[in-house]
């Protein structure tokens, strides 16, 4: 059994700790929890008979740990994770890896110096079989060359009450951003996981109908060599939409929240065009075969009981047991990609211009620092 600790036992960290304590993570044993909230900490530790700590260094020096789950506020992720890595303890970081790419690189550098230590990201949406199937179809060229992509994610509805629950929410100083860095990390990771990284981004980020200082409404155009991807997100829309559509010259993929439909054309678009003897193309040439995949009822039941995140926890412990980081669902350095997109979108909106990648991470960090000062004032 691998000895696991959880740092931060709030909403998500508490669930991770509970899953491990209940035996939902094969090969993992919860031995310690760490949190600044002493009442919550001691209640959890007493109930599940594990050690309790309020200081990460104290825990690392006293416990013989194989892995640590970091589920604390965003700004503390890198510092805590680095402390674990430097002690030779593998680490799984909740999303996002950090608030700025500049700081996130510090953790990646620390991991590079300790190649035997496993660093992982909590990208649970990658366990969704619909996204995995879409990735397979794209990589194998089944839908041909990508021509267009649109991702609409407006089903992260949040009320003013939600933001008022904690002063850190939707603030530059407490959370490092709003909708993008909190909710949309998942979709942005999936987007780059399927399509790769764009070469440039133009974004318009707004605050609508909420008393917050960060964005809750985003429209972005991500420019690739041969196509564009439009990304639309909000947390104020009712009813919301969750839909990813990817069109290729041989077919199309449409992924809704619980169903994926993909179409494979009889002929590629270029073949249809060259063979056409009429203005709208020959009907017999435009036929396609429709396929449907559901999320899966058994997966929904599992998610209700343990959450998608439990699959990532199991994967993390298995990778530690095998001593093989290539078996991870997402390695730590992959957290840089969606964070780069988030930083670039914010910068584009602040400067009202397209941002080319790779991002100037130092410039972004300086701009964020100014935003924090403005917010304080």
């Amino acid at each position: 059994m691998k000895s696991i600790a959880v740092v931060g036992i709030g909403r998500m960290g508490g669930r991770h700790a509970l899953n491990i304590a209940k035996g939902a993570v094969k090969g993992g044993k919860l031995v310690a929890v760490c949190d600044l909230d002493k009442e919550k900490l001691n209640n959890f530790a007493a109930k599940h008979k594990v050690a309790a700590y309020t200081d990460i260094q104290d825990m690392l020096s006293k416990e013989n740990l194989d892995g640590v789950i970091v589920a604390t506020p965003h700004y503390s992720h890198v510092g805590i994770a680095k402390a674990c890595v430097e002690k030779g303890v593998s680490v799984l970081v909740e999303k996002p890896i950090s608030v700025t790419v500049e700081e996130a690189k510090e953790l990646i550098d620390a991991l590079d110096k300790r190649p035997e230590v496993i660093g992982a990201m909590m990208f649970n949406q990658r366990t969704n079989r619909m996204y995995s199937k879409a990735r397979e179809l794209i990589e194998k060229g089944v839908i041909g060359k990508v021509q267009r992509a649109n991702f609409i994610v407006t089903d992260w509805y949040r009320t003013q009450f939600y933001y008022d629950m904690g002063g850190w929410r939707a603030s530059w100083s407490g959370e490092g951003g709003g909708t993008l860095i909190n909710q949309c990390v998942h979709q942005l990771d999936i987007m780059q996981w399927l399509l790769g990284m764009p070469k440039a981004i133009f974004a318009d980020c707004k605050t609508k109908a909420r008393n917050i200082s960060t964005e809750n409404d985003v429209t972005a155009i991500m420019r690739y060599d041969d196509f564009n991807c439009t990304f639309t997100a909000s947390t104020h829309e009712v009813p919301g939409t969750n839909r990813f559509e990817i069109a290729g010259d041989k077919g199309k993929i449409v992924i809704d929240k619980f169903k994926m439909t993909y179409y494979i054309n009889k002929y590629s678009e270029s073949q249809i065009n060259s063979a056409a003897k009429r203005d709208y193309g020959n009907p017999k040439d435009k036929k396609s075969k429709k396929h449907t995949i559901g999320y899966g009822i058994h997966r929904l039941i599992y998610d209700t009981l343990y959450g998608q995140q439990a699959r990532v926890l199991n994967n993390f412990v298995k990778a530690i047991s095998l001593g093989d980081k290539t078996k991870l669902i997402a390695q730590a350095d992959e957290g840089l990609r969606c964070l780069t997109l988030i930083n670039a979108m914010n910068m584009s909106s602040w400067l009202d211009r397209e941002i080319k990648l790779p991002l100037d991470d130092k410039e972004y960090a300086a701009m964020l620092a100014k935003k924090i000062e403005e917010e304080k004032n």
Side-chain angles (χ1 to χ4, degrees):
M1 295 290 283
K2 296 301 176 182
S3 297
I4 308 296
V6 176
V7 183
I9 52 170
R11 182 169 170 268
M12 287 310 305
R15 189 169 194 181
H16 299 334
L18 187 60
N19 275 333
I20 303 169
K22 291 192 305 184
V25 179
K26 187 178 180 181
K29 180 182 179 181
L30 186 70
V31 298
V33 288
C34 183
D35 200 289
L36 296 177
D37 186 329
K38 291 184 179 180
E39 182 178 358
K40 182 192 300 181
L41 177 71
N42 292 329
N43 287 341
F44 187 97
K47 183 176 181 180
H48 299 285
K49 297 180 174 56
V50 297
Y53 296 91
T54 56
D55 181 81
I56 180 69
Q57 292 292 356
D58 188 29
M59 182 181 77
L60 290 171
S61 64
K62 292 179 180 177
E63 300 290 337
N64 185 22
L65 298 171
D66 296 298
V68 170
I69 317 298
V70 180
T72 55
H74 302 166
Y75 277 104
S76 61
H77 285 184
V78 168
I80 294 170
K82 277 179 61 182
C84 296
V85 172
E86 288 164 1
K87 286 285 188 178
V89 179
S90 293
V91 63
L92 170 61
V93 183
E94 257 292 354
K95 57 80 183 172
I97 186 172
S98 179
V99 172
T100 68
V101 170
E102 181 185 43
E103 186 180 39
K105 286 179 178 178
E106 295 178 16
L107 173 56
I108 306 308
D109 288 344
L111 283 163
D112 287 343
K113 292 173 184 175
R114 300 292 299 264
E116 77 282 6
V117 176
I118 288 175
M121 284 300 304
M122 179 56 83
F123 286 150
N124 48 281
Q125 286 291 312
R126 293 194 187 192
T127 68
N128 184 328
R129 68 176 183 174
M130 299 188 296
Y131 291 134
S132 297
K133 181 63 176 180
R135 190 169 190 256
E136 177 189 328
L137 293 172
I138 294 168
E139 288 185 339
K140 290 183 176 179
V142 176
I143 66 164
K145 195 172 183 180
V146 175
Q147 304 288 311
R148 170 186 62 81
N150 299 83
F151 208 155
I152 303 172
V153 51
T154 58
D155 62 342
W156 289 112
Y157 185 70
R158 296 293 186 270
T159 65
Q160 186 64 49
F161 182 84
Y162 165 82
Y163 295 115
D164 293 342
M165 285 168 61
W168 59 273
R169 295 179 189 271
S171 65
W172 299 113
S173 58
E175 197 168 22
T179 295
L180 285 172
I181 204 159
N182 190 323
Q183 286 84 24
C184 293
V185 174
H186 293 296
Q187 283 74 29
L188 291 170
D189 173 63
I190 290 299
M191 192 207 75
Q192 68 81 26
W193 193 49
L194 269 59
L195 303 176
M197 290 291 283
K199 58 193 296 184
I201 296 175
F202 181 82
D204 183 18
C205 304
K206 291 182 169 66
T207 304
K208 292 186 177 179
R210 299 291 183 271
N211 183 26
I212 56 176
S213 56
T214 60
E215 84 292 341
N216 67 345
D217 186 280
V218 178
T219 300
I221 296 175
M222 310 202 195
R223 187 157 58 85
Y224 291 77
D225 285 330
D226 301 307
F227 68 94
N228 288 334
C229 175
T230 302
F231 183 80
T232 306
S234 78
T235 52
H236 60 81
E237 184 176 311
V238 179
T241 298
N242 193 317
R243 183 182 179 92
F244 195 7
E245 188 167 304
I246 305 164
D249 66 341
K250 294 181 182 178
K252 182 170 71 172
I253 299 169
V254 181
I255 308 173
D256 292 304
K257 194 161 188 175
F258 298 114
K259 186 178 80 172
M260 168 180 166
T261 306
Y262 65 96
Y263 306 83
I264 307 302
N265 299 340
K266 182 179 180 181
Y267 300 108
S268 69
E269 188 282 324
S270 59
Q271 291 173 314
I272 295 169
N273 182 53
S274 63
K277 301 301 181 184
R278 56 194 299 175
D279 48 4
Y280 298 127
N282 305 324
K284 64 182 179 64
D285 295 338
K286 292 163 65 179
K287 291 182 178 180
S288 61
K289 189 172 182 180
K290 179 180 176 181
H291 306 265
T292 302
I293 297 175
Y295 184 81
I297 186 64
H298 295 294
R299 298 175 72 83
L300 282 172
I301 293 171
Y302 181 92
D303 290 356
T304 301
L305 294 173
Y306 309 109
Q308 270 186 341
Q309 294 83 358
R311 296 190 185 91
V312 182
L313 294 176
N314 274 281
N315 170 258
F316 175 59
V317 172
K318 184 177 180 180
I320 293 174
S321 300
L322 295 172
D324 188 353
K325 64 183 70 177
T326 67
K327 301 298 183 184
L328 290 169
I329 290 169
Q331 294 188 43
D333 62 349
E334 295 181 71
L336 284 173
R337 299 174 193 168
C338 60
L339 183 60
T340 295
L341 298 177
I342 292 167
N343 286 183
M345 285 187 207
N346 282 330
M347 183 183 286
S348 173
S349 186
W350 294 341
L351 297 176
D352 192 27
R353 64 173 173 83
E354 183 178 79
I355 300 297
K356 287 182 169 54
L357 299 185
L359 176 79
D360 185 335
D361 52 79
K362 294 187 183 303
E363 182 183 5
Y364 178 77
M367 292 180 72
L368 177 61
K370 288 183 180 178
K371 281 285 181 182
I372 292 171
E373 276 304 310
E374 290 172 4
E375 184 179 67
K376 288 179 181 177
N377 294 330

